């Protein structure tokens, strides 16, 4: 597995670095590409050759600074990372540069820190929102208040659409982790509806028998965000997994309503968002 880990050298961005390092400890032969996209323009008074020399020296300086920053952040955890790389790029559009870098370095995931008091502000922040809506790779959104811990459980919040396809994608991430996996679904048609039962039958297949499906009735007096918030507080998952149709889809339906800010508990819970 290879992960592009973004940082802007701020304290808030440390959470992505720490999470990625923890993941590398649990999944053997994980490579971490620590990456910082810095917006830099050539001053009008500088000629091209002078600017190119400056850019070369500045990239060298910042690459060394990035390495020092990461090692200082991780401390003894560095010895558990099998391989890593440090990349500085001067760009004019940070979000697009992150996606291009992830593809250039043949990464499987993008890991980025998020900020804010609630899930709405964190996950719909400028950089993360753009990546979720445009990246062809899954995005690991790590709260700035994330506390270092090994992953022990996964909560996949599902609309029960394309289950087979999504469970296989999730399996590629979870296979090496050997953690408990639960699938949370709020049945709009009812828990005992034939269609709900038919779709849930997939968990009887050998490939998915290790996954615990949790199918709950839809309580209209609570929003979806409120229901998930209550479940998270009780279950305390290590990471939440979502699949979204980019631009408009499950992710937006989940986090854009006005009550999304109530999901403040999840400031402590990392989220993995797959594009559908």
């Amino acid at each position: 597995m290879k992960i592009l880990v973004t940082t802007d050298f701020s304290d808030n961005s440390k959470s992505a670095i720490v999470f990625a390092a923890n993941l590398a400890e649990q999944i053997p032969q994980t490579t971490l590409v620590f990456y910082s996209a810095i917006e830099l323009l050539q001053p009008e008074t500088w000629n091209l050759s002078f600017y190119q020399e400056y850019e070369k020296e500045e990239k060298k300086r910042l690459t060394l600074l990035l390495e020092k920053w990461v090692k200082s952040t991780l401390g003894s955890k560095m010895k558990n990372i099998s391989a890593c790389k440090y990349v500085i790029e001067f760009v004019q559009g940070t979000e697009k540069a992150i996606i291009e870098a992830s593809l250039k370095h043949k990464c499987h995931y993008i890991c980025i820190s998020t900020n804010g008091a609630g899930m709405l502000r964190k996950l719909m922040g400028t950089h993360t929102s753009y990546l979720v809506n445009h990246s062809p790779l899954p995005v690991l959104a790590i709260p700035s208040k994330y506390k270092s811990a090994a992953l022990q459980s996964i909560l996949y919040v599902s609309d029960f659409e394309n289950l087979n396809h999504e469970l296989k994608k999730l399996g590629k991430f979870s296979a090496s982790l050997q953690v408990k996996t639960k699938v949370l679904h709020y049945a709009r048609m009812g828990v005992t509806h034939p269609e709900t039962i038919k779709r849930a039958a997939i968990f009887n297949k050998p490939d998915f028998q290790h996954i615990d499906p949790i199918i709950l009735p839809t309580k209209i007096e609570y929003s979806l965000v409120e229901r998930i918030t209550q479940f998270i507080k009780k279950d305390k998952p290590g990471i939440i997994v979502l699949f979204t149709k980019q631009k408009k889809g499950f992710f937006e339906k989940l986090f854009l309503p006005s009550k999304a800010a109530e999901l403040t508990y999840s400031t402590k819970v990392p989220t993995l968002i797959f594009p559908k």
Side-chain angles (χ1 to χ4, degrees):
M1 182 193 299
K2 184 181 284 189
I3 306 173
L4 187 82
V5 188
T6 68
T7 179
D8 60 1
F9 294 96
S10 69
D11 286 342
N12 285 331
S13 69
K14 288 181 178 180
S15 62
I17 295 172
V18 174
F19 178 88
N22 285 339
L23 206 58
E25 287 186 59
Q26 289 184 263
I27 303 178
Q29 298 181 333
T30 294
T31 299
L32 302 181
V33 180
F34 297 104
Y35 175 81
S36 185
I38 299 172
E39 297 199 19
L40 184 68
L41 295 175
Q42 178 182 341
E44 292 182 1
T45 55
W46 292 12
N47 62 49
L48 181 59
S49 60
F50 181 83
Y51 172 74
Q52 289 176 334
E53 185 62 28
Y54 169 80
E55 185 181 59
K56 179 181 177 181
E57 292 301 317
E58 189 68 357
K59 182 175 288 189
K60 185 186 299 184
R61 181 185 72 83
L62 289 173
T63 301
L64 291 173
L65 182 63
L66 177 59
E67 182 176 357
K68 182 179 179 181
W69 167 261
V70 170
K71 289 180 177 179
S72 174
T73 299
L74 295 179
S76 61
K77 283 184 175 293
M78 282 297 304
K79 67 178 184 292
N80 299 315
I81 300 175
S82 59
C84 63
K85 188 174 183 179
Y86 305 94
V87 179
I88 292 289
E89 282 190 339
F90 296 127
V91 302
Q92 295 184 20
T94 302
E95 296 93 347
K96 290 183 178 180
I98 291 172
I99 293 174
E100 289 171 1
S102 69
L103 298 174
K104 176 182 176 181
H105 293 280
K106 298 181 180 180
C107 295
H108 302 100
Y109 300 89
I110 296 173
C111 186
I112 184 170
S113 297
T114 57
N115 301 306
M119 186 61 87
L120 175 65
R121 291 176 183 170
K122 289 184 327 85
L123 288 185
M124 298 309 293
T126 304
H127 296 324
T128 307
S129 175
Y130 185 91
L131 294 177
V132 166
N133 287 323
H134 296 88
S135 172
L137 301 182
V139 176
L140 285 156
I142 315 302
S144 58
K145 294 183 180 180
Y146 164 75
K147 293 184 179 179
S148 178
L151 276 183
Q152 296 182 346
S153 62
I154 295 172
L155 178 64
Y156 161 36
V157 182
S158 175
D159 57 8
F160 266 27
E161 300 289 339
N162 302 314
L163 260 177
N164 187 68
H165 176 70
E166 293 180 2
L167 286 171
K168 286 181 178 179
K169 277 192 172 183
L170 176 60
K172 291 180 180 180
F173 173 77
S174 62
S176 301
L177 288 171
Q178 297 181 343
V179 298
K180 295 179 181 178
T181 302
K182 297 179 181 179
V183 175
L184 175 63
H185 173 68
Y186 288 97
R188 290 175 295 175
M189 296 178 290
V191 175
T192 59
H193 191 280
E195 187 62 28
T196 302
I197 295 172
K198 179 182 177 181
R199 294 185 181 187
I202 193 173
F203 298 106
N204 295 324
K205 294 183 177 181
D207 289 347
F208 306 129
Q209 284 181 344
H210 65 287
I211 298 174
D212 182 18
I214 301 170
I215 304 172
L216 301 175
T218 298
K219 297 180 179 180
I220 59 174
E221 64 268 31
Y222 297 106
S223 69
L224 179 58
V225 172
E226 288 173 320
R227 278 176 258 142
I228 295 174
T229 300
Q230 292 171 5
F231 188 89
I232 290 172
K233 286 182 178 179
K234 180 181 178 181
D235 193 70
K236 295 180 172 61
I239 189 168
I240 303 167
V241 176
L242 303 170
F243 284 78
T244 181
K245 291 180 181 177
Q246 292 180 323
K247 302 292 185 180
K248 294 181 180 179
F250 181 64
F251 182 86
E252 285 187 328
K253 291 177 183 177
L254 181 60
F255 291 109
L256 284 181
S258 60
K259 291 188 177 180
E262 296 176 22
L263 205 57
T264 54
Y265 178 84
S266 290
T267 54
K268 299 178 182 178
V269 183
T271 306
L272 171 58
I273 305 114
F274 285 89
K276 282 196 174 187

